[in-house]
Amino acid sequence: MSCFKKGLSRTGTTLMQKTGQVERTIDREFTEEETKYKTYEKEVEKLQKEAKAYLDSMRAMAGSQARIADTIDKFYGSADRTSEGAMAANAYKRSVDELDSSINKELDAPYRTCVLDPLGKMNAYFPVINDTISKRHKKMLDYDSARSKVRKLQDKPSEDTAKLPAAQKEFEDAKEVYEFMNEQLIAELPQLLDLRVPFFDPSFEAMIRIQCKFAEEGYEKMGGVQRYFQESIRNDYASGQLDAQVEAVLEEIKELTICATQGS
């Protein structure tokens, strides 16, 4: 039978099942395993999407941080390049530039190799598995159709005595193909889910190590910038005194004629 004719036949079987003319095969064990698999598929696809978004966010953060550092360096440098603020701004810019560079060396490449690539490889299996599930559904329709044909010939025998044996053979062949695919999926879908933990364990550990290394390096470099600030500034920040200083400067700005509210 051609693919086109098979497609029409299966469409007809589906319609007759909806109207109750053809009995539908229900396999609760397969349905349960398929539901678990579909949940797993969605989780992995979401994980891949969020893992990529994390790397993109880190790049975006590093880029924004570099642009902020460049602006601050120019801002302080244009005022007094020998001041403590200018030296701190320049040190901050150097540290940020080094961090930006280290993203490619110590985060980007390892993260792709250890996290994104394994996720991509796992996701690549899903279309193949889904194709097998789809084929199983088609073979189930063939099986249901063949079973219905045999029952009709048994209930209302044809004058052509060869029709029933031919229908029975068609039924047995369809049953064998369907049961083989059905049993294969019922056996192997749980195995696939059981392998998810050993498969993702190395990636999960690598992700934690990569994030820790990047965070530690960032902390170290930013800690180096802090030495340009007086100890009192850190204490003022902790006690909330810096807020008062900012408010005092804002009051001075308000006193400037160009900042005063003007009438129309």
Side-chain angles (χ1 to χ4, degrees), residues 40-48 122-123 126 200:
Y40 173 58
E41 180 185 16
K42 289 180 181 178
E43 288 173 347
V44 176
E45 288 175 346
K46 181 180 180 181
L47 184 59
Q48 183 184 33
M122 176 57 73
N123 269 309
F126 293 139
F200 286 120

Side-chain angles (χ1 to χ4, degrees), residues 20-190:
Q21 298 177 60
V22 174
E23 182 183 353
R24 185 197 303 271
T25 295
I26 297 175
D27 190 318
R28 289 184 174 82
E29 187 177 7
F30 169 78
T31 301
E32 183 179 345
E33 297 303 335
E34 183 188 26
T35 300
K36 292 177 184 176
Y37 160 73
K38 288 296 183 183
T39 300
Y40 173 58
E41 180 185 16
K42 289 180 181 178
E43 288 173 347
V44 176
E45 288 175 346
K46 181 180 180 181
L47 184 59
Q48 183 184 33
K49 180 181 177 182
E50 294 303 329
K52 184 180 182 303
Y54 169 79
L55 183 58
D56 291 341
S57 297
M58 292 299 290
R59 286 175 180 159
M61 181 198 71
S64 296
Q65 196 173 28
R67 289 188 291 273
I68 289 172
D70 185 59
T71 302
I72 290 176
D73 184 47
K74 291 176 181 176
F75 176 76
Y76 276 95
S78 64
D80 182 0
R81 190 161 285 279
T82 62
S83 68
E84 290 183 352
M87 288 189 287
N90 188 254
Y92 176 60
K93 183 180 185 305
R94 290 198 309 272
S95 296
V96 167
D97 287 343
E98 289 172 6
L99 278 174
D100 189 29
S101 177
S102 72
I103 280 187
N104 292 325
K105 296 177 183 177
E106 298 178 16
L107 188 145
D108 196 306
Y111 190 82
R112 283 187 174 280
T113 301
C114 300
V115 180
L116 291 183
D117 287 352
L119 284 169
K121 289 175 182 177
M122 176 57 73
N123 269 309
Y125 284 112
F126 293 139
V128 179
I129 298 169
N130 290 335
D131 185 56
T132 302
I133 291 174
S134 177
K135 287 179 180 177
R136 178 257 180 201
H137 178 69
K138 291 175 182 177
K139 297 305 178 183
M140 184 187 71
L141 289 174
D142 295 341
Y143 168 59
D144 289 346
S145 176
R147 181 181 58 207
S148 176
K149 189 182 296 183
V150 169
R151 286 179 179 174
K152 286 179 181 178
L153 286 171
Q154 288 174 335
D155 294 342
K156 189 176 181 181
S158 171
E159 294 180 1
D160 185 350
T161 55
K163 282 189 175 182
L164 181 58
Q168 287 174 328
K169 184 180 184 310
E170 181 183 345
F171 167 69
E172 292 299 329
D173 290 344
K175 180 181 179 182
E176 182 180 355
V177 173
Y178 162 69
E179 289 185 344
F180 173 79
M181 296 192 73
N182 191 57
E183 289 169 7
Q184 183 184 51
L185 285 165
I186 288 174
E188 294 187 4
L189 285 177

